[in-house]
Amino acid sequence: MVVDRMKIMSIIGTRPEIIKMAPIIAEINQRGINQVVLHTGQHYDKEMSDNFFRDLEIPAPDYNIHVGSGSHGKQTGNMMEGIEEIMLKENPDIVLVQGDTNAVLAGALVAAKLHIAVGHVEAGLRSFDLTMPEEINRKVADICSAMYFIPTEESAINLLAEGFSRKNLIITGNTVVDACFRHLKIAEKRGFGENSLKDLNIENMENILTLTMHRAENVDVKSRVKNIVDALKELEEMNIIFPIHPRTKNTLENFGLFDELNNLEHVHIIKPIGYLDFLLLTSKSTLILTDSGGLQEEAITLNVPALTLRYNTERPETVTAGGNILVGSDKKAILDNSRKILNDDGFADKMKNAPNPYGQGDAAKNTVDAIEKYYGEGLLNITAPEDIMGSFARKMKNISEDISVNDFEDIENALIHMVFDGEKMVFPSDELNLNGMMIIYDKRE
Ligand code: UD1
Ligand code: UDP
């Protein structure tokens, strides 16, 4: 069988990558495809790495290059050196990177330079904030990629607007939903395992606010942390559970705010917890206060209202759907919205019932299906073009007949780039009826 010969290398480096790649790693293994998993070692504490292999039931990585912590340049450079050596040895057909961490940047750059196809899982997200390291990482990874596994139409449209060809944009949903659905069931059967949670008698606790924050632009800026801490101090009616990221613990201590927060009776700071415990905790929460990317997605998946401690988000679908509100580090916005969720059932229910934009939990299947298809059709071979480039004519047209994207492209020998339904840009999926829409396309001469 063709796929027997295919080799996939998956690169992971941090907690969210382990969680979101786990369903894909499991799917690849289940199909008997050759797989190599490389851990960069960016996250190395047991609570930030090993525990997730345990909870998500995936094998330990084949390689760990132990880059550890450091400045962006040093960390990324070390990763590139280590990854290159292993990539040359393993020579995979495709390298998968997930999300927007430094591992994604390093893995995508190394693979692209070695002419190995890159598959970007969770491609196309944009916060449009270039002060975030993650925005730089995800944009560079997208430029290096051959296949784009995109969670939603909105993210696919971001890529179209940047000029990426729609042919390699595959809307898969987000693997966070796969992980959430599968592991929540396992967690519910097992119950809380973490002693810190058992000691708090979390089972019988009410009005839980689960808090996580680690985003550099929040926790490294004293005025922002101070505003957030001031809001938390006043939220005495909530039981605040705060599994603290090591970065945040360091900065809270450096700013002299750790004890101030930890001494409050209604605030419980604990170590980062495993995935099963975390799913149980969040699904039992009245609200989630976070600056995490993954948690904005998990909140809407688990029907828990989310307040996001940021001024922008690369997950705008959660806000438009009504499950997430951006509160920045604005004390009043944090307090007002938290209290409204706690006291106004109508408001809370509306947030809880927001439709999940991230799919049905089949993102891993969709991803591996597409990889097998591309491999089978020889589309993973990255070679220099040998055909002399034909001429293209970019055109714009208003369509006034019933015709699908596929049919239009076949008849006109064209590739559609953008489709506008009035002001709104829509994704040119194969079967989309173009009647009444305006399109921009390349006509091949
Ligand atoms: C990284 C990602 C971020 C992602 C987050 C997930 C980048 C640029 N950032 O941020 O996108 O949302 O992971 O959690 O890739 N530390 C430990 N133990 C560990 C790991 C980190 O103590 O196991 C401490 C170190 O002091 C380190 C600091 O946390 O300097 C920050 O870690 P780092 O991996 O650089 O960035 P994150 O903030 O974790
Ligand atoms: N998470 C966890 N234990 C914790 C905190 C978070 O299992 O104590 C999980 C959470 O369920 C989510 C992921 O970690 O899937 C989010 O990771 P993080 O916030 O570190 O990174 P981001 O998603 O912002 O990149």
Side-chain angles (χ1 to χ4, degrees), residues 14-17 19-20 43 47-48 52 55 100-101 122 134 176 180 210-215 242-245 270-279 281-282 290-298 310 315:
T14 66
R15 167 170 75 186
E17 291 162 270
I19 294 168
K20 289 178 171 177
H43 283 178
E47 296 82 16
M48 298 298 285
F52 293 93
D55 279 6
D100 51 24
T101 68
E122 206 179 73
E134 290 86 358
V176 82
C180 239
T210 295
L211 167 69
T212 80
M213 56 173 176
H214 69 280
R215 203 61 57 200
F242 184 13
I244 195 165
H245 189 291
I270 56 176
K271 278 189 167 186
I273 54 180
Y275 190 56
L276 299 182
D277 280 309
F278 196 74
L279 281 179
L281 173 67
T282 44
T290 192
D291 62 13
S292 158
L295 254 167
Q296 292 174 65
E297 297 155 351
E298 277 171 358
R310 287 178 49 188
R315 277 106 175 153

Side-chain angles (χ1 to χ4, degrees), residues 135-373:
E135 182 74 355
I136 299 166
N137 293 346
R138 58 173 85 96
K139 286 185 86 166
V140 175
D142 282 337
I143 285 169
C144 295
S145 294
M147 293 187 81
Y148 302 85
F149 306 110
I150 307 169
T152 65
E153 283 203 8
E154 282 86 337
S155 295
I157 288 169
N158 287 336
L159 291 175
L160 289 176
E162 289 176 21
F164 289 86
S165 163
R166 84 171 185 90
K167 285 293 176 196
N168 300 323
L169 310 186
I170 302 140
I171 298 174
T172 54
N174 195 311
T175 55
V176 82
V177 181
D178 308 25
C180 239
F181 284 172
R182 176 171 151 73
H183 294 283
L184 182 60
K185 273 192 223 133
I186 297 173
E188 278 169 346
K189 242 188 225 161
R190 188 205 67 172
F192 285 105
E194 181 72 44
N195 284 339
S196 56
L197 295 173
K198 283 187 192 155
D199 294 347
L200 288 170
N201 191 17
I202 207 95
E203 208 93 59
N204 299 313
M205 199 179 254
E206 293 205 335
N207 302 344
I208 296 175
L209 180 159
T210 295
L211 167 69
T212 80
M213 56 173 176
H214 69 280
R215 203 61 57 200
E217 68 269 17
N218 270 336
V219 301
D220 293 359
V221 180
K222 189 170 182 182
S223 56
R224 286 205 182 181
V225 186
K226 178 97 179 59
N227 283 346
I228 297 168
V229 168
D230 284 346
L232 297 173
K233 274 197 214 160
E234 285 187 29
L235 268 180
E236 285 174 327
E237 61 271 58
M238 309 250 19
N239 283 302
I240 298 172
I241 313 292
F242 184 13
I244 195 165
H245 189 291
R247 175 188 205 110
T248 313
K249 183 160 190 287
N250 292 342
T251 52
L252 279 181
E253 281 169 354
N254 291 341
F255 294 152
L257 291 166
F258 183 86
D259 288 338
E260 193 175 327
L261 194 59
N262 199 29
N263 289 339
L264 299 170
E265 211 162 296
H266 66 289
V267 176
H268 309 283
I269 304 184
I270 56 176
K271 278 189 167 186
I273 54 180
Y275 190 56
L276 299 182
D277 280 309
F278 196 74
L279 281 179
L280 279 183
L281 173 67
T282 44
S283 59
K284 200 181 164 349
S285 298
T286 302
L287 79 103
I288 291 171
L289 184 62
T290 192
D291 62 13
S292 158
L295 254 167
Q296 292 174 65
E297 297 155 351
E298 277 171 358
I300 205 160
T301 304
L302 296 168
N303 303 315
V304 181
L307 299 181
T308 295
L309 297 161
R310 287 178 49 188
Y311 292 90
N312 55 53
T313 179
E314 57 293 311
R315 277 106 175 153
E317 303 87 347
T318 57
V319 178
T320 341
N324 183 15
I325 298 172
L326 300 183
V327 291
S329 55
D330 183 314
K331 181 181 165 192
K332 187 171 175 324
I334 298 170
L335 284 174
D336 288 353
N337 285 293
S338 299
R339 289 183 169 139
K340 217 164 166 198
I341 292 168
L342 184 64
N343 300 318
D344 181 341
D345 286 347
F347 185 77
D349 284 345
K350 224 168 155 194
M351 290 188 79
K352 283 186 208 166
N353 293 328
N356 183 0
Y358 295 112
Q360 320 301 318
D362 54 2
K365 180 188 172 298
N366 296 336
T367 303
V368 185
D369 281 351
I371 296 172
E372 289 202 49
K373 180 168 177 283

